[in-house]
Amino acid sequence: MLSIEHFYWLMALFLLYAGWRNLRDRRFAHAAFWGLLAALFAAGKPILDASKAGHALPSQLAGVAVIALALLATRMRREHIDEAPEAQRLASAQRLGHRLFWPALLIPLVTVAIVLFGPKLAIGGAPVFGEGSITLIGLALACVLATFAAVLVTRERPVVALGEGRRLLDTMGWAALLPLVLATLGGVFAASGVGEAVASLVSAVIPADNRLACVLAYGLGMVVFTMIMGNAFAAFPVMTAGIGLPLLIQQHGAAPAILGSLGMLTGYCGTLMTPMAANFNLVPAALLELDDPNAVIRAQLPTAIPLLLVNLVLMYWLAFR
């Protein structure tokens, strides 16, 4: 039975490899950062089980580890990591052509296939996929299969995939954790009652009985919160708990699936416009060695603003049909 835990352990092994490579290169802050993160991935379920059983120490240790990661992040510096010569990379790209995209296209295709058909698969009466979100399991399995596909397409040794993965991870540095951390931040905000506070504030400012005003408050709120927190995953639980659920779904009868999907997509418009989304907007500028650190954001603005307007129109038109 395949569960999400198996992929957490696989991720822990890869992070350990990245830590070991950095240790060999005497990049001690990077080595400690990835090694500590590997320990958290590997020990996630034992920590959760111990916390449920009433043992507070494991969860406290996890909290100390998170604080240590934040301190180590201040010591991590982006440095050039050796890669294949440019002429060799260019020759490989010309030889492979569009076949380079095949492994990447496998990821969404396999993920969707597992989400649709995975729950029905069984061997000897036992389900193939076990505990955990079927979407996350499908995405993780798709990434593993895409890695093998990339090795077959490029005819490189598997160790090259590990080396290039480690190089990309170190190039991004601590910013690679931003989606995970910001999504967790959104959950913390929702659990601490920020959503209810937002609902009270919005109700006092806008006419709650006006459907259009609520749609604008929800959509624009998703954009603003995303720009502040850097990720739509962090904004979504707050804005949905504060405006989407009580005002649009319960009071005005909006379809939850349509509202939620368009709400997330609207939030991503904010991701395109904020430097807080460092892994999306600042890291690519650094990787491309652009003179303007905000060049990626400037290039995305002509897409983000019209897409925001289209999303608001679609939300008002489709969510209440």
Side-chain angles (χ1 to χ4, degrees), residues 11-293:
M11 178 61 72
L13 289 175
F14 172 68
L15 291 170
L16 277 177
Y17 170 79
W20 172 69
R21 287 290 301 272
N22 278 287
L23 188 61
R24 286 182 55 189
D25 296 339
R26 303 181 66 84
R27 292 155 54 94
F28 299 115
H30 291 73
F33 187 90
W34 301 126
L36 189 56
L37 188 61
L40 288 174
F41 268 92
K45 194 173 190 304
I47 289 175
L48 183 61
D49 291 342
S51 299
K52 289 181 178 178
H55 305 297
L57 185 57
S59 59
Q60 290 175 347
L61 289 176
V64 171
V66 171
I67 295 174
L69 287 175
L71 294 175
L72 286 169
T74 65
R75 307 297 301 172
M76 297 173 70
R77 298 290 183 267
R78 184 176 292 111
E79 302 171 3
H80 177 72
I81 300 177
D82 291 336
E83 56 183 323
E86 183 178 358
Q88 180 181 337
R89 288 184 279 121
L90 182 59
S92 177
Q94 291 176 342
R95 175 176 61 85
L96 295 171
H98 293 307
R99 284 180 292 167
L100 280 171
F101 295 101
W102 293 357
L105 292 175
L106 271 181
I107 296 177
L109 293 176
V110 172
T111 302
V112 171
I114 291 177
V115 170
L116 293 177
F117 306 109
K120 303 174 185 178
L121 296 178
I123 299 177
V128 174
F129 300 104
E131 296 181 358
S133 167
I134 188 64
T135 304
L136 288 180
I137 294 174
L139 177 60
L141 181 58
C143 291
V144 173
L145 294 177
T147 301
F148 285 110
V151 171
L152 291 175
V153 169
T154 59
R155 298 179 183 177
E156 294 282 0
R157 295 175 299 162
V159 70
V160 174
L162 286 175
E164 288 300 303
R166 172 256 173 174
R167 185 182 64 81
L168 183 60
L169 188 66
D170 275 326
T171 301
M172 290 189 293
W174 57 264
L177 291 188
L178 276 178
L180 174 65
V181 174
L182 292 173
T184 304
L185 178 63
V188 171
F189 279 3
S192 61
V194 175
E196 289 77 3
V198 171
S200 301
L201 180 63
V202 170
S203 299
V205 174
I206 69 169
D209 57 344
N210 188 303
R211 179 186 298 177
L212 177 59
C214 292
V215 168
L216 292 176
Y218 179 63
L220 297 177
M222 277 293 300
V223 172
V224 172
F225 265 70
T226 298
M227 293 181 69
I228 293 173
M229 295 192 280
N231 195 290
F233 286 107
F236 184 76
V238 175
M239 298 308 301
T240 301
I243 301 176
L245 182 60
L247 298 181
L248 289 171
I249 295 176
Q250 295 178 346
Q251 182 171 331
H252 292 286
I258 296 175
L259 184 70
S261 59
L262 287 174
M264 281 293 290
L265 187 57
T266 303
Y268 290 138
C269 296
T271 303
L272 298 175
M273 298 186 288
T274 177
M276 289 298 293
N279 53 324
F280 288 100
N281 298 330
L282 299 186
V283 170
L287 291 176
L288 296 172
E289 299 180 353
L290 302 179
D291 294 332
D292 182 4

